[in-house]
Amino acid sequence: MNKKQWISSILAAAVLSSPIIMPTKGSAAASFIDIDSSYAKKAIVELFDQGIVTGVEESKFYPTSNITRQDFAIILAKTLKLDISNPPALPTFLDVTASNYAYSYVEAAVKAGLIKGTGSNLFGTGQNLSRQDMVVMFVRALGVNPTGKTGTLQFADSSQIADYSKDSIAAAVEYGLITGYNNFFNPEAKVDRQAVALVASKFLKFKESGNTEQPSATPTPQPGKEAVTVPTPVVGGSSSSQSGHSSNSDINAPLVVSTKFEAVDNYNGTQDQLRGLAGAIGEQGAAVQAYLWTDTNENGEVDADELGTAIALGTSEADGSVNAANVGDLRAGTYRFVITAKDSSNNESVKDAAHAVTLTLSKNEVPDTTAPVVDTAKFEAVDNYNGTQDQLRGLAGAIGEQGAAVQAYLWTDTNENGEVDADELGTAIALGTSEADGSVNAANVGDLRAGTYRFVITAKDSSNNESAKNAEHAVTLTLSKNEVPDTTAPLVDTAKFEAVDNYNGTQDQLRGLAGAIGEQGAAVQAYLWTDTNENGEVDADELGTAIALGTSEADGSVNAANVGDLRAGTYRFVITAKDSSNNESAKNAEHAVMIELVKGVLTTPTVTSSIYGFDGGILKTKQLVTGSTQRTIRFDFFSGETFTNAEVQVTIEGMTFNTNDYYSISGWTHLTSDQISNNGHTLTFTGSNRGVSDIAFELHDKLMPAPGTYLIKFKADADGPGTARSFSEEQFITLIILPPA
């Protein structure tokens, strides 16, 4: 530890533990260098001249240091000129022995009935004295009876005053020893040296006046300025004493609450600032300054050589706030500033640690000065019918930032110059805030008549940057106002839904026949329904996840869609349909369809026999000449098993089927158009309900195609679709077209 640090440590210890009554006087009180801004300067000088107080150091009084109970006992005994020459041999208190520097003073005060201790035979040595305890002892020293005065207390915090001290505090207000601050007494706050000096001075003047009786009139405590130890209000103040030597001069420095100061943390290259919030300064019009404090010796005390140059922050407002003022372009880090305030009477608050504020600057954010991008092409109207508000909404990408406040202004280009003049815009209409994707939810803009409207769209971000109100940000909207909204859900006829019962390992399906859905283009969904409580009602927790079946066709049908590879059994599905107006049919038992699945295993039908071909025989190849027209071409298939309600598919290459052609299962019949698909190349039909194994076909008046090889393919599902078996492997015969001779 260097010499400077050692001396500072000794001085700090002296402030906290040394008696404030020193055995010999130092230099004259007027030479104390730290009392010029103290509200008790005059009292300190008076008491020093009378030998009641002295400095902690030769040139310093330390007016704002707290006072201990034993040091207050010394002042009290000195003030009353108690006899300290004959203290008792046995101490009254266990913690104030005969070797204690304050022993004779404490015992003299006890003998005079002024001090009673803290209980358990303890005086409370080393404890700082509270405001209410100081007042109790001074009032005892007056020799008056304060009983019954409690009712006159008018402090806003009277309920916080201990019961044992209320009468004494009320009496002290009557006798002019204290006045409080802004109608607060703050009973448990610790007293500092300057406060004790001021009240002791008032006490002496009151005693010298000879007025030790209770006054005939009780003055009302004034909420005016009370002498304070910043930041906690203390006793004393500018109220006149009872001695007749009153003065109206302001000797109290403005209150400074450093905790109500904060930094404006600006980016690098720009001045940072300090500002005070409401209540930061106790007076209006005080000159406020900040001093950068570097606690070089790390003792927590503000030494004169540790403060930077004063930085003027301006003057305090009526509410005690202080406007932001520059304090330098500081780097990122933590800083401490001591804040002072000086009033018009030149009273300045103390430059000490109690008036310091600690600020942390990050300095890593460059301010956002760019307004959000507004793409008006992505705004559209919701054109509602008359009697209902129309709306504006922004699609994805309409606003370039999330969370921007979006507004619309109806624009009437009165002078038709294509420019947005200030008097041409209507009142701002809040559209809400932009979403993460830049969209803006629909918001009401008024129940507008049919016609064309222009709105200027603006967006303001959290940094208060707002896009320009100009023609580039205008959107033109046309409203027809003649359509009543669709509020009716599509009709669902579950009786026209059926299952496609596929074999195990393959998805089963649901499909709607013609008329299943009452509107074209509705989104159809199915929910597996398990009626857990068997009440026949569809409860919300009884439905499975929605299965999209697709959209309804013009005839109300719905193409087959997978609903899962379900086991054999009975299932119920609730069918819903939602139209483009977001109207959805109810999820209830009326919209449920019951299906039963057989779920046979995959089985390929028996391979058809080799007896199939052209002209009722087994000729597998037939040759014809290109360009010729054949009156008939017959081909036959003979299956190795019978077809009962089977599904049969025949596909020809090079030629097409038409309704002039025939097929025969149990008699010849013309093809129908609904049996023909694949641009005429495929014929699909269902076999008879009695088992047959031979099928014949006749093509009529066919023009032979270009030379080449063409196949006629055949496959069948012998027991029909959706049951145990699947389609057979494809078989074919060959048609050869020859060039002309």
Side-chain angles (χ1 to χ4, degrees):
M1 181 182 295
N2 60 37
K3 183 177 181 181
K4 182 177 179 181
Q5 291 173 321
W6 178 80
I7 292 172
S8 298
S9 299
I10 293 299
L11 293 180
V15 171
L16 296 174
S17 61
S18 297
I20 63 170
I21 304 299
M22 301 184 71
T24 59
K25 282 189 179 182
S27 58
S31 66
F32 289 142
I33 64 174
D34 59 349
I35 66 172
D36 285 345
S37 61
S38 172
Y39 58 77
K41 177 179 179 181
K42 182 178 179 181
I44 293 169
V45 173
E46 290 174 352
L47 296 183
F48 178 85
D49 290 342
Q50 296 178 50
I52 296 175
V53 300
T54 186
V56 176
E57 298 178 28
E58 183 175 356
S59 61
K60 287 188 177 181
F61 181 73
Y62 284 88
T64 61
S65 295
N66 291 337
I67 191 167
T68 60
R69 289 173 58 83
Q70 69 267 25
D71 289 345
F72 177 75
I74 295 173
I75 287 186
L76 192 61
K78 282 281 191 178
T79 302
L80 294 174
K81 298 180 181 180
L82 299 179
D83 182 8
I84 63 171
S85 62
N86 189 26
L90 295 177
T92 303
F93 302 109
L94 298 176
D95 56 347
V96 185
T97 62
S99 62
N100 190 295
Y101 68 88
Y103 178 69
S104 59
Y105 297 97
V106 170
E107 293 295 348
V110 171
K111 184 177 180 180
L114 305 179
I115 291 176
K116 297 180 181 180
T118 60
S120 302
N121 292 329
L122 295 175
F123 174 67
T125 298
Q127 296 180 15
N128 291 326
L129 188 68
S130 69
R131 285 168 53 81
Q132 58 190 3
D133 286 351
M134 176 192 69
V135 173
V136 167
M137 286 185 272
F138 268 125
V139 171
R140 284 177 187 161
L142 285 177
V144 298
N145 181 11
T147 302
K149 297 291 185 183
T150 298
T152 65
L153 283 175
Q154 297 184 21
F155 292 118
D157 57 352
S158 294
S159 62
Q160 300 176 23
I161 299 174
D163 290 341
Y164 69 83
S165 63
K166 285 184 176 179
D167 283 340
S168 296
I169 291 170
V173 173
E174 290 184 2
Y175 305 148
L177 300 186
I178 61 171
T179 63
Y181 180 80
N182 279 344
N183 203 30
F184 282 84
F185 177 66
N186 204 359
E188 295 183 358
K190 304 307 178 185
V191 184
D192 59 11
R193 289 163 54 83
Q194 60 186 348
V196 173
L198 182 59
V199 178
S201 175
K202 291 184 176 184
F203 173 87
L204 285 173
K205 289 181 174 62
F206 188 76
K207 294 286 285 185
E208 289 168 2
S209 70
N211 183 10
T212 57
E213 298 298 327
Q214 298 183 29
S216 58
T218 301
T220 301
Q222 297 298 316
K225 186 185 294 183
E226 173 75 38
V228 297
T229 299
V230 180
T232 306
V234 298
V235 297
S238 58
S239 61
S240 62
S241 70
Q242 300 296 315
S243 65
H245 302 291
S246 63
S247 172
N248 293 325
S249 61
D250 180 6
I251 61 170
N252 303 310
L255 173 69
V256 175
V257 183
S258 57
T259 56
K260 293 187 177 179
F261 278 82
E262 65 180 15
V264 180
D265 183 5
N266 290 319
Y267 57 95
N268 291 320
T270 300
Q271 291 265 321
D272 300 290
Q273 296 177 306
L274 267 178
R275 65 183 169 205
L277 307 178
I281 303 297
E283 291 186 33
Q284 180 179 6
V288 185
Q289 292 185 308
Y291 299 82
L292 184 61
W293 172 30
T294 306
D295 190 12
T296 310
N297 54 21
E298 299 180 353
N299 68 345
E301 298 293 331
V302 178
D303 303 316
D305 59 349
E306 294 178 343
L307 294 181
T309 305
I311 303 170
L313 302 185
T315 56
S316 54
E317 302 292 334
D319 64 351
S321 62
V322 183
N323 292 331
N326 294 341
V327 292
D329 180 18
L330 305 174
R331 295 182 179 181
T334 300
Y335 297 86
R336 281 189 289 186
F337 287 89
V338 172
I339 311 294
T340 68
K342 182 185 291 186
D343 62 20
S344 58
S345 298
N346 219 33
N347 301 307
E348 186 174 18
S349 55
V350 182
K351 301 181 183 74
D352 58 13
H355 291 144
V357 58
T358 300
L359 308 169
T360 299
L361 304 177
S362 59
K363 304 290 291 185
N364 55 1
E365 293 185 5
V366 176
D368 177 12
T369 59
T370 304
V373 174
V374 176
D375 186 351
T376 54
K378 293 181 178 177
F379 277 83
E380 65 181 15
V382 180
D383 183 5
N384 291 320
Y385 57 94
N386 290 320
T388 300
Q389 292 266 318
D390 300 290
Q391 296 177 308
L392 266 179
R393 65 183 169 204
L395 307 178
I399 303 297
E401 291 184 32
Q402 181 178 6
V406 185
Q407 292 184 308
Y409 299 82
L410 184 60
W411 172 31
T412 305
D413 190 13
T414 309
N415 54 19
E416 299 181 354
N417 66 347
E419 299 293 330
V420 176
D421 302 315
D423 58 350
E424 295 178 342
L425 293 181
T427 305
I429 303 170
L431 302 184
T433 55
S434 52
E435 303 291 335
D437 64 352
S439 63
V440 183
N441 292 330
N444 294 339
V445 292
D447 180 18
L448 306 175
R449 296 182 178 181
T452 300
Y453 298 86
R454 281 189 290 185
F455 288 89
V456 171
I457 310 294
T458 67
K460 182 186 290 185
D461 61 21
S462 58
S463 298
N464 219 34
N465 302 305
E466 186 174 19
S467 55
K469 300 181 183 74
N470 56 25
E472 288 70 30
H473 289 147
V475 56
T476 300
L477 308 169
T478 299
L479 304 177
S480 59
K481 304 291 290 185
N482 55 2
E483 293 184 4
V484 176
D486 176 11
T487 59
T488 304
L491 175 67
V492 176
D493 186 351
T494 55
K496 293 183 179 177
F497 277 84
E498 65 181 14
V500 179
D501 183 5
N502 289 319
Y503 53 88
N504 290 322
T506 301
Q507 292 263 321
D508 300 291
Q509 296 176 306
L510 269 178
R511 65 185 168 202
L513 306 178
I517 303 297
E519 291 185 32
Q520 181 179 4
V524 185
Q525 291 184 309
Y527 299 82
L528 184 60
W529 172 30
T530 305
D531 190 12
T532 309
N533 55 17
E534 298 181 353
N535 67 346
E537 299 293 330
V538 177
D539 303 314
D541 57 350
E542 294 178 343
L543 294 182
T545 305
I547 303 170
L549 302 185
T551 55
S552 53
E553 302 292 335
D555 65 352
S557 63
V558 183
N559 292 330
N562 294 340
V563 293
D565 180 17
L566 306 175
R567 295 181 180 180
T570 301
Y571 298 86
R572 279 189 290 187
F573 287 88
V574 172
I575 311 295
T576 67
K578 183 186 290 186
D579 61 21
S580 58
S581 298
N582 219 33
N583 302 306
E584 186 174 18
S585 56
K587 300 181 183 74
N588 56 25
E590 287 70 30
H591 290 146
V593 58
M594 182 178 293
I595 62 172
E596 186 172 350
L597 303 178
V598 178
K599 304 297 291 183
V601 297
L602 175 62
T603 303
T604 302
T606 305
V607 177
T608 54
S609 71
S610 60
I611 305 175
Y612 61 95
F614 288 100
D615 301 326
I618 59 172
L619 179 64
K620 300 290 181 65
T621 303
K622 187 176 183 66
Q623 296 181 349
L624 295 168
V625 177
T626 184
S628 64
T629 300
Q630 298 300 312
R631 178 72 183 84
T632 61
I633 301 174
R634 175 174 170 170
F635 54 97
D636 299 85
F637 285 91
F638 299 90
S639 173
E641 60 185 297
T642 60
F643 295 107
T644 302
N645 293 324
E647 183 174 306
V648 181
Q649 287 186 1
V650 181
T651 301
I652 59 176
E653 297 178 352
M655 294 179 289
T656 58
F657 290 107
N658 60 48
T659 54
N660 291 324
D661 300 329
Y662 291 85
Y663 72 95
S664 173
I665 296 179
S666 55
W668 290 97
T669 183
H670 278 295
L671 280 58
T672 60
S673 59
D674 61 334
Q675 294 175 316
I676 302 171
S677 61
N678 190 22
N679 293 322
H681 291 287
T682 299
L683 169 65
T684 303
F685 59 94
T686 302
S688 73
N689 58 8
R690 63 183 182 85
V692 295
S693 60
D694 56 326
I695 304 173
F697 305 88
E698 276 190 0
L699 304 178
H700 284 247
D701 300 320
K702 301 297 181 185
L703 178 65
M704 294 300 99
T709 299
Y710 300 91
L711 300 179
I712 300 177
K713 304 173 185 179
F714 167 84
K715 66 176 182 176
D717 183 350
D719 57 357
T723 51
R725 300 189 179 194
S726 64
F727 275 101
S728 64
E729 293 182 3
E730 197 167 59
Q731 301 173 76
F732 58 87
I733 58 178
T734 305
L735 180 65
I736 298 175
I737 306 301
L738 301 174

